[in-house]
Amino acid sequence: MLRRLFFTLFVINVVFTFSTFAHKYKLKDEPDSAYLFSYNANGLRFAWSHDNKNWSSIGRGYIYLRSDYGRWGTEKKMIAPFLIKGRNGEWVCIWSLNDRTNQFAVSTSKNLINWGPQNYPYVTLGKNVLSPVIAFNTQNDEYDIYYSDADGKYFETKTRDFIVYSQVRSISVPTVFDNSINADINGLKSGQSHRVPWSVIRDLQKAYEIQEFKVKQNNERTEDDAKRFAGLKPVDLKVSLQPEKAKKISGMLTGIFFEDINYAADGGLYAELVQNRDFEYKPSDREFNDEAWKSTFSWSLSDEETIFSIDSILPIHPNNLHYAVLDVKVPGAALTNTGFDGMALKRGESYTFSTFAKHLEGSKSDFEVRLVNGKGIILGKLRLKSASAWKQVKGTLTSSADATDARIEISPLSTGKFAFDMISLFPEKTFKGRKNGLRADLATTIAAIQPKFVRFPGGCVAHGDGIDNIYKWKNSIGPLAERKPDRNLWGYHQTMGLGYFEYFQFCEDIGAAPVPVIAAGVPCENSATGGGGQQGGIPMAEMGQYIQDIIDLIEYANGDVHTAWGKKRAEAGHPKPFNLKFIGIGNEDQITEVFKERFTLIYKALRAAHPEITIIGTAGPFFEGTDYEEGWKIASDLKVPLIDEHYYQSPGWFINNQDFYDKYDRTKSRIYLGEYAASVPGGNKTNLETALAEALYLTALERNGDVVSMASYAPLIAKEKHTQWNPDLIYFNNSEVKPTVGYFVQKMFGNYSGDQYIPAKVKTSVEQEPVNKRIGISVVEDTKSNHLIIKLVNLLPVEINTSLNLDNFSIAGETVVKTEITGNPSDNSIKPIVSEVNIRNSVKIPAYSFTVFKIKLKGYKLN
Ligand code: AHR
């Protein structure tokens, strides 16, 4: 296997060298030129031919360009792509998006391999845009585009730069020559043929081979280790530290990313037990308008003598329009809420019940509130009264038993008409006892990571599904009944109960810096509403107010209590500032013209208004590709101090890309790796193997801690049975918290962090790349607590005998604390074991393990 890998490397190397060579010096048996045929099969593919008749596919039908328009799965279509060579030999491809939209797609490329940003211009005439055709008019130095529509009419527009287009006009016959042909490539395909130098075809082939090589690397899995490492004996590892080469690194490397995805807020970290307490669920919260998802969702009343209806006349607040009305003919019925999959209660613990109530008809106003378990046993009850106008009433219930299937019942004790809204049941034991606080068990598990920062509210929740759904922080603060709930783009409802105040408070409670992420004036490019993707950026005329809202957020966090927004923070119970230092603008956006214009405007305005705030830009959803390149280009042009990169990859990718940041230019933006995770392809499950691949990569991040400032794993928490996204760091249900192995890796990096990196000379007994790249070592020093921290990752199926040369250090005591995770790579329920060891002896690092040594220092012994 090893040999085969080397052979593959050799072959690829030869191919690359050969290609570069051949590019300049044509080989004897190669033609000068050939025909290149571009065609569509779920993306742009190529074939070549000597005679324009007999075709061979390039890269076995590899896709060189895909549409990035609209929703995943249903909308990212490339229909009838049309490829030409335009100004200065630049390739231009335009295509139709679907049969509904008045837009087409355009992208350009210098080499057919790397493509520029896709833009989706709107047209003003025609029912839709079908089969667009383009030609470059050399005389006028402009592109002519024509398209037809569903009525069979033709239209024409012109452009020089694909940014500004001429007024669309109707034409009777196409003015541009459509030179499409049909070619037989596993069946007849329609496309364009171009005569090109042979080097174009060779480079396309080369790009495919590189891609194939990467795919092979990414597919490396521990299940192949028995074969890959057959006969491998335990490895000896000698590590000598080089404190004289120590470098400063970021002290904020480990943070967390909280997004309201997977029921992370309502039904999750936010401790509220009642679901749909505001009666504001709407069918449109969910894709395809789920009619069952409405104001009465999660509520029931089974009694013919009482009518349960929803009203919206004279609501508590215009942001909270709907409320429940019980028309009681004969007392006895109860309005029941089963929470999020039942309510979990603890014996002897107290819960605050509250509701806004008023009686609309009838003279008596008493109602009973009961906690009831799944068997119908009452676990606690209390009596309250409503008034004739909306009034919040409260009481405390103590549960007489544990339950996981409890419900709450509200039962008027007399006839009449009763109205209720904002019906809430809140445990008194929240994290740090905060009112309107967080679930204690979950928050404690999160806090144990000791994250240095918390990113919030997304992810995609930040930029939303269409511009109307962009997260508006002002809707998430103030009295609960006045907050404006919204559709959550992950297919449910956000009460905004866990809003910006609660977020800032949580950060303060766990000693983490807040890192809010604000949309860059554009929604998610995968939006299902408001046009596909970012074409629906906030109108430029409204951008002034949008920017003011961001400036107001800074004032809400940091402003004096006498400022308008600082006052609101004080009214919420926090007169002291929250010390906000970072703001992210954008979330893995598609870098279109629409994005660039808005991002630049926001960035410049924030820089001017708040130079003390560090702004974080965005570089797309992948570690390469158009958005990554273009995002970096903007960051470099504008000198954005930090840039947010994201990548979700296989364990093989993390093993084979540990040098990713070694290559980064130290003079450009610093990096915030805002979302990353290794997961097993096909289901995105995590286990020890994925956690170790992450640990290995994190040792490389520490090594690059001079350029990588911050990193946060994939979504933090996910509720079982309500998970829209895998992988996540912690899974939970109503009564249990289930950290993944990856969680413990994060915790070990969070708990054992440093601010100084100490390089090490490393020598292994086996000089084989596949072996050595599965051994990770990182040594950092925490100069504040005076600790040396050594992290060792072993992703090999054999033990590593490690001898650590610590001669340059003066160690306090002989024994050090060792924390270790080890086991079967496919196991997903492993926990770390903490022990004390003598670090002076050689230490055995088990197969498939991650070990951290924490060593108290007296000092250095440098000459
Ligand atoms: O982490 C889940 C989603 O993944 C985030 O919302 C988005 O930023 C990324 O694509």
Side-chain angles (χ1 to χ4, degrees), residues 257 259 261 455 458-461 463 490 587-588 621 646 648 675 714-715 725:
F257 160 44
E259 174 169 17
I261 184 174
R455 172 168 170 240
C460 293
V461 163
H463 57 184
W490 296 106
N587 172 64
E588 59 178 53
H646 294 180
Y648 292 89
E675 287 182 45
W725 180 277

Side-chain angles (χ1 to χ4, degrees), residues 221-235:
R221 296 283 317 283
T222 53
E223 60 198 19
D224 306 319
D225 280 356
K227 215 159 136 206
R228 187 182 355 259
F229 297 116
L232 182 68
K233 299 274 173 325
V235 176

Side-chain angles (χ1 to χ4, degrees), residues 102-113:
N102 288 80
Q103 288 167 283
F104 59 89
V106 61
S107 182
T108 62
S109 170
K110 294 214 171 357
N111 57 10
L112 296 172
I113 298 162

